[in-house]
């Protein structure tokens, strides 16, 4: 059985690869837990971290079919893992190709630096199935892009392509197609030779100053998602998604 997450450590740089290509790297409970375990191990074994997917997709978000069957992704645990990425003392970089959607968007934005292929995009498509953004996205997007852009992503569910993401402050660097991982590796290699205490202190200071609402956002999103998952609109949104048709939401 192929592992849903691959981990490779070379020259002080750990690369964590989401490895579910058959589903555009949609995340199951098993996969998000494996990411968390790899992140925890990196704190003591690595000097820099890369989080990536494959050329087709960083992550398309939660595995919707598995999420419905198994009672959800385990949002409280997913939140803990996203917080652990932010709190890592080593610098982190997301190398993004294709979609970084839903919880995948949150994972990318939790990293300190985001390298996006020019053909990649960020997306919060939750309202299409009767849900709200989660994984800290309501705070992570707003902290970098501002309230109105966060609202645009949440309410329209539109794709924010790499160039626009960079203009909004959601991406650190845009590369030609297929070059995102190479560039991320170059940057991470430089970090692995840098001053670890200075990196850790800089990260803590900036994150403390800019992500003041993150933990409250986790709590609000968890309550909101719990309530919304019990709604008829969510059931209709999932059914419409599975049947590849437009949903008929009634506000119930």
């Amino acid at each position: 059985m192929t592992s849903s997450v691959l981990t490779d450590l070379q020259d002080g740089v750990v690369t964590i690869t989401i490895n579910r290509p058959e589903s555009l790297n949609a995340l199951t409970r098993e996969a998000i837990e494996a990411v968390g375990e790899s992140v925890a191990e990196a704190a003591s074994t690595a000097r820099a971290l890369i989080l990536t997917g494959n050329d087709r997709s960083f992550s398309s978000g939660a595995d919707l079919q598995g999420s419905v069957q198994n009672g959800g992704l385990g949002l409280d645990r997913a939140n803990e893992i996203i917080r652990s990425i932010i709190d890592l003392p080593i610098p982190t970089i997301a190398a993004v190709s294709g979609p970084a959607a839903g919880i995948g968007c949150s994972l990318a934005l939790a990293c300190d630096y985001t390298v996006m292929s020019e053909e990649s995009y960020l997306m919060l498509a939750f309202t299409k199935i009767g849900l709200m953004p989660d994984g800290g996205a309501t705070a992570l997007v707003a902290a970098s892009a501002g309230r109105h852009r966060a609202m645009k992503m949440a309410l329209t569910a539109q794709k924010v392509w790499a160039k626009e993401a960079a203009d909004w402050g959601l991406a650190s660097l845009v590369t030609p197609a297929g070059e995102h991982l190479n560039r991320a590796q170059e940057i991470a290699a430089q970090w692995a030779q840098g001053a670890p205490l200075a990196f850790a202190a800089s990260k803590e200071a900036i994150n403390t100053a800019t992500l003041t609402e993150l933990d409250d956002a986790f709590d609000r999103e968890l309550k909101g998602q719990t309530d919304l998952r019990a709604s008829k609109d969510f059931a209709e949104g999932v059914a419409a998604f599975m049947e590849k048709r437009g949903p008929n939401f009634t506000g119930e």
Side-chain angles (χ1 to χ4, degrees):
M1 184 174 181
T2 303
S3 176
S4 58
V5 173
L6 306 176
T7 303
D8 178 61
L9 176 63
Q10 294 188 35
D11 300 323
V13 177
V14 64
T15 301
I16 300 172
T17 304
I18 303 168
N19 183 44
R20 302 191 72 239
E22 72 286 353
S23 62
L24 292 177
N25 293 326
L27 290 161
T28 60
R29 286 193 183 205
E30 175 194 17
I32 194 70
E33 187 62 46
V35 170
E37 291 172 0
S38 297
V39 169
E41 184 176 351
S44 59
T45 61
R47 296 276 295 272
L49 179 149
I50 297 171
L51 180 61
T52 193
N54 54 33
D55 285 343
R56 289 188 63 217
S57 177
F58 177 79
S59 172
S60 57
D63 185 305
L64 189 57
Q65 184 169 358
S67 177
V68 171
Q69 292 173 344
N70 298 316
L73 184 65
L75 185 55
D76 50 352
R77 179 59 179 147
N79 289 343
E80 291 175 358
I81 291 166
I82 288 167
R83 169 52 89 177
S84 75
I85 294 171
I86 293 167
D87 289 345
L88 266 184
I90 62 174
T92 60
I93 183 166
V96 178
S97 183
I103 197 82
C105 181
S106 294
L107 285 170
L109 296 182
C111 293
D112 305 315
Y113 201 97
T114 304
V115 176
M116 296 184 68
S117 163
E118 63 186 0
E119 296 180 347
S120 66
Y121 60 88
L122 307 175
M123 186 181 188
L124 299 178
F126 296 91
T127 56
K128 287 188 172 183
I129 57 168
L131 292 178
M132 63 176 287
D134 60 24
T138 55
L140 291 167
V141 174
S144 293
R147 172 177 173 265
H148 283 99
R149 285 167 172 165
M151 285 289 189
K152 181 177 181 179
M153 287 185 70
L155 300 183
T156 69
Q158 292 178 351
K159 298 174 181 178
V160 180
W161 292 93
K163 183 180 182 303
E164 187 173 28
D167 290 342
W168 285 12
L170 296 172
S172 310
L173 179 68
V174 178
T175 71
E179 292 298 316
H180 60 293
L181 184 55
N182 289 339
R183 189 70 184 102
Q185 290 169 336
E186 292 172 359
I187 296 166
Q190 294 174 358
W191 287 341
Q193 300 302 314
L197 297 179
F199 284 146
S202 298
K203 284 189 52 164
E204 182 180 11
I206 292 170
N207 286 332
T208 299
T210 59
L211 295 178
T212 56
E213 283 293 309
L214 182 59
D215 291 327
D216 287 340
F218 284 145
D219 291 341
R220 286 190 293 266
E221 291 168 357
L222 181 58
K223 182 182 184 306
Q225 290 293 53
T226 300
D227 292 343
L228 289 168
R229 288 180 65 86
S231 70
K232 292 181 180 178
D233 275 355
F234 173 63
E236 167 61 12
V238 172
F241 177 84
M242 297 297 187
E243 296 166 12
K244 298 182 180 180
R245 60 172 173 82
N248 179 27
F249 294 130
T250 61
E252 299 179 86

